[in-house]
Amino acid sequence: MEQFFYFLSFLAILTSIMVVVSKNPVHSVLYLILTFFAITGHYILLNAHFLAIVNLVVYAGAIMVLFLFVIMFLNLNKDAEPKKPVAMQFASVLAAGLLFLVLVAAVKDVSLGTSSIPVSNIGYVSELGKLLFTKFMVPFEITSILFLSAMIGAVVIAKK
Amino acid sequence: MDIVLIEKSILVVIIFAISLGIAAYSTYFERKFAGFFQDRVGPNNAGPFGILQPLADGAKLFTKEEFIPTNANTFLFILGPSLAMLTACMTSAVIPWGGTLEVAGRTISLQVADLSVGILYVFGVVSLGVYGIMIGGWSSNNKYSLLGAIRAASQNISYEIAMGLSIIALLMVASDGTLSISNIVNFQINNYWLIVYQPLGFLIFMICSFAETNRTPFDLPECEAELVGGYHTEYSSMKLGLYLFAEYVNMFISSAVMATLYFGGYDVPFLADFEASLGHNLVTILGTLFFFGKIMLFIFFFMWVRWTIPRFRYDQLMKLGWQVLIPLSIINIVLTGLVLTFVK
């Protein structure tokens, strides 16, 4: 199990770095898909089958297809790339640096104890369903209505 | 542990071989049926009744010149058809192809992996299936290929929603707390087939299957009248062969999924009554044969539709997906909920 964990973590970090480093935006999206696969592997190791497969369907499947779709349409290349003003570049470096500071501060206090992967059945569909429809009933229903209204909104826009 | 692994490996190899064999002969029967529907003979030169035609096609595709456009992205150009074939073959792992066989005191299940989230796995692989087409179409660096790829992507996403919603209604009837596929088949063995409970759901699921496999009337990604060859315009040789072949494997697998989810899978009514006289193994094998019979009927239906109905216009396709199928599948969920609450 531990080898799998290290392999998946290595894969996730490597592909995440490649997402940022890749020059070609389509390559970035493809690396991001690999990252989602690695994270799905992590969920499986945690015995969270439902979350794993939903991560695969929603993120690796649907959302990344949309990303790829949009990027293919934009047809990004060197000539079309807009010139960014120096102030904007400075601001983005500053913002990224501050985020990096926060992350480092968060990692500083982490204790590297020996933790084993907890084996529980909470990731099974039936357990998750019970939890969602009892303890988290209200937020779950509100989210459902939100999604339904988004979908109906899309249909209404399409009808115009 | 090890013997289970060996059993499963043998099963995987057999299923893989059968999928490829059926896909190969689907091409032959498609052309024979096309001939029949159009009052022609169809392929009849290679062997008796042209039965060796798939082998001749394979040999032709393998020996043709390999061509990669100069401005194409070589790695992704090769990755495209590979991914298309890979995702086409992945679904067969969770389909229960039959009951259990008893060999030398061991009970062997004819399902490779009985995942607790089996249906969602099928759904996940379907949603990944479009990458082969998208990557191939984009990396060809050809506007017709790109248009084909974009059509494939938007079509896939649009029809996935209705497909998922029709599966929700199915699970409301048949699930016992897990999403495993063998469970759904067991439900159908003990009750009626799910087509009886979910006729509207089946109709939606079937239309979406046509759209997800890019079969006519939803074959706009390779619409030859507008886009030359669609996403595989630039492909030649066996790479083109893999794309075409993946479509037939997809057709076989989605026929198997439809037969499993709505037509009882390997369940045959009253066959279990003969178990005492025929023996357990023979009943299982008969069930599997009947399952393949159901699959063949669906494959025939796919072909029948292809040679009967012309393809949609693109705006009609989107209209059908978003304005007809999604509202219908939501109504189906509400109706199923009402019936389950008040009738049971």
Side-chain angles (χ1 to χ4, degrees):
Chain A
M1 276 306 194
E2 210 161 77
Q3 305 93 300
F4 281 118
F5 173 77
Y6 283 120
F7 172 69
L8 288 171
S9 306
F10 172 73
L11 198 68
I13 293 170
L14 182 78
T15 49
S16 319
I17 291 171
M18 291 308 288
V19 173
V20 185
V21 173
S22 297
K23 292 268 185 208
N24 190 328
V26 171
H27 290 181
S28 289
V29 173
L30 295 178
Y31 280 118
L32 196 54
I33 294 166
L34 284 180
T35 312
F36 283 127
F37 268 96
I39 291 169
T40 299
H42 278 301
Y43 284 137
I44 293 172
L45 283 186
L46 286 169
N47 223 3
H49 300 174
F50 183 72
L51 213 54
I53 205 78
V54 166
N55 187 51
L56 201 71
V57 173
V58 175
Y59 285 95
I63 292 183
M64 283 299 111
V65 169
L66 270 182
F67 269 43
L68 208 56
F69 180 85
V70 171
I71 286 172
M72 281 177 179
F73 249 140
L74 292 178
N75 200 14
L76 289 173
N77 50 36
K78 276 261 151 51
D79 312 322
E81 206 171 302
K83 288 268 187 297
K84 295 185 186 89
V86 181
M88 200 191 232
Q89 286 180 7
F90 183 72
S92 51
V93 168
L94 195 70
L98 283 174
L99 180 66
F100 183 66
L101 198 70
V102 172
L103 288 178
V104 167
V107 168
K108 188 175 71 76
D109 295 331
V110 167
S111 65
L112 288 171
T114 52
S115 69
S116 57
I117 296 167
V119 179
S120 72
N121 294 337
I122 194 70
Y124 289 143
V125 183
S126 50
E127 302 297 315
L128 202 69
K130 273 175 202 150
L131 206 61
L132 278 180
F133 281 100
T134 52
K135 203 175 168 191
F136 299 105
M137 180 78 182
V138 177
F140 179 74
E141 292 298 338
I142 291 174
T143 324
S144 319
I145 292 169
L146 190 71
F147 277 122
L148 192 65
S149 59
M151 212 152 65
I152 293 171
V155 175
V156 170
I157 291 171
K159 271 203 165 154
K160 269 184 185 168
Chain B
M1 184 63 205
D2 280 338
I3 191 148
V4 173
L5 217 59
I6 294 168
E7 283 165 11
K8 294 291 182 199
S9 314
I10 294 172
L11 196 60
V12 166
V13 172
I14 292 173
I15 291 171
F16 185 62
I18 289 178
S19 317
L20 294 190
I22 286 183
Y25 270 89
S26 297
T27 64
Y28 166 73
F29 282 108
E30 170 122 83
R31 295 167 71 178
K32 271 291 183 196
F33 286 137
F36 174 70
F37 289 127
Q38 298 172 345
D39 207 8
R40 304 184 271 115
V41 181
N44 64 345
N45 278 340
F49 306 107
I51 199 115
L52 299 176
Q53 191 64 41
L55 298 179
D57 284 341
K60 182 192 102 172
L61 284 169
F62 265 116
T63 48
K64 274 206 161 183
E65 189 194 346
E66 189 85 56
F67 181 78
I68 297 178
T70 321
N71 288 327
N73 186 321
T74 315
F75 178 71
L76 293 182
F77 192 79
I78 297 169
L79 187 69
S82 325
L83 271 182
M85 200 63 202
L86 181 74
T87 47
C89 291
M90 266 164 70
T91 312
S92 57
V94 294
I95 293 173
W97 298 96
T100 53
L101 284 176
E102 277 163 6
V103 182
R106 291 185 52 80
T107 309
I108 302 168
S109 164
L110 292 183
Q111 182 183 19
V112 176
D114 188 10
L115 299 183
S116 64
V117 286
I119 290 191
L120 287 176
Y121 173 86
V122 172
F123 204 56
V125 175
V126 165
S127 66
L128 295 178
V130 74
Y131 282 123
I133 293 175
M134 284 188 86
I135 290 172
W138 179 79
S139 63
S140 301
N141 204 3
N142 174 320
K143 59 185 158 200
Y144 295 116
S145 303
L146 183 64
L147 281 174
I150 281 168
R151 281 182 174 188
S154 46
Q155 175 178 327
N156 192 290
I157 288 183
S158 306
Y159 281 80
E160 236 169 53
I161 301 171
M163 198 181 205
L165 290 174
S166 66
I167 289 179
I168 288 177
L170 175 121
L171 287 171
M172 282 163 71
V173 179
S175 174
D176 68 335
T178 67
L179 306 180
S180 117
I181 294 184
S182 63
N183 220 324
I184 286 168
V185 175
N186 284 334
F187 174 87
Q188 298 180 85
I189 291 174
N190 298 326
N191 300 282
Y192 298 111
W193 290 353
L194 275 161
I195 176 78
V196 179
Y197 304 100
Q198 285 290 320
L200 183 61
F202 170 68
L203 191 69
I204 296 166
F205 190 86
M206 192 180 63
I207 295 173
C208 294
S209 298
F210 273 78
E212 300 286 330
T213 47
N214 297 327
R215 291 283 300 186
T216 322
F218 300 99
D219 63 340
L220 284 124
E222 49 177 293
C223 175
E224 73 277 348
E226 310 161 13
L227 295 182
V228 190
Y231 60 90
H232 56 55
T233 303
E234 295 287 358
Y235 280 89
S236 59
S237 178
M238 201 53 204
K239 291 200 196 66
L240 172 69
L242 280 180
Y243 268 132
L244 302 181
F245 208 57
E247 182 184 315
Y248 285 94
V249 178
N250 272 326
M251 195 166 84
F252 167 59
I253 294 296
S254 40
S255 299
V257 170
M258 280 192 280
T260 310
L261 293 186
Y262 290 95
F263 284 85
Y266 54 85
D267 174 41
V268 184
F270 310 116
L271 188 65
D273 299 343
F274 297 102
E275 187 156 334
S277 54
L278 290 177
H280 182 75
N281 283 352
L282 194 58
V283 166
T284 301
I285 291 169
L286 277 176
T288 305
L289 288 179
F290 270 101
F291 181 43
F292 274 96
K294 290 172 193 173
I295 296 173
M296 296 303 156
L297 285 179
F298 274 113
I299 293 180
F300 171 70
F301 187 69
F302 268 100
M303 292 172 182
W304 192 11
V305 168
R306 172 163 180 185
W307 297 104
T308 311
I309 298 176
R311 69 168 69 88
F312 286 113
R313 230 170 43 221
Y314 201 70
D315 58 320
Q316 292 171 331
L317 173 114
M318 282 296 147
K319 212 171 192 170
L320 178 70
W322 286 94
Q323 298 182 18
V324 179
L325 289 181
I326 291 176
L328 263 185
S329 50
I330 291 174
I331 290 170
N332 187 35
I333 290 176
V334 174
L335 282 181
T336 310
L338 286 177
V339 169
L340 283 180
T341 317
F342 292 113
V343 177
K344 240 177 196 175

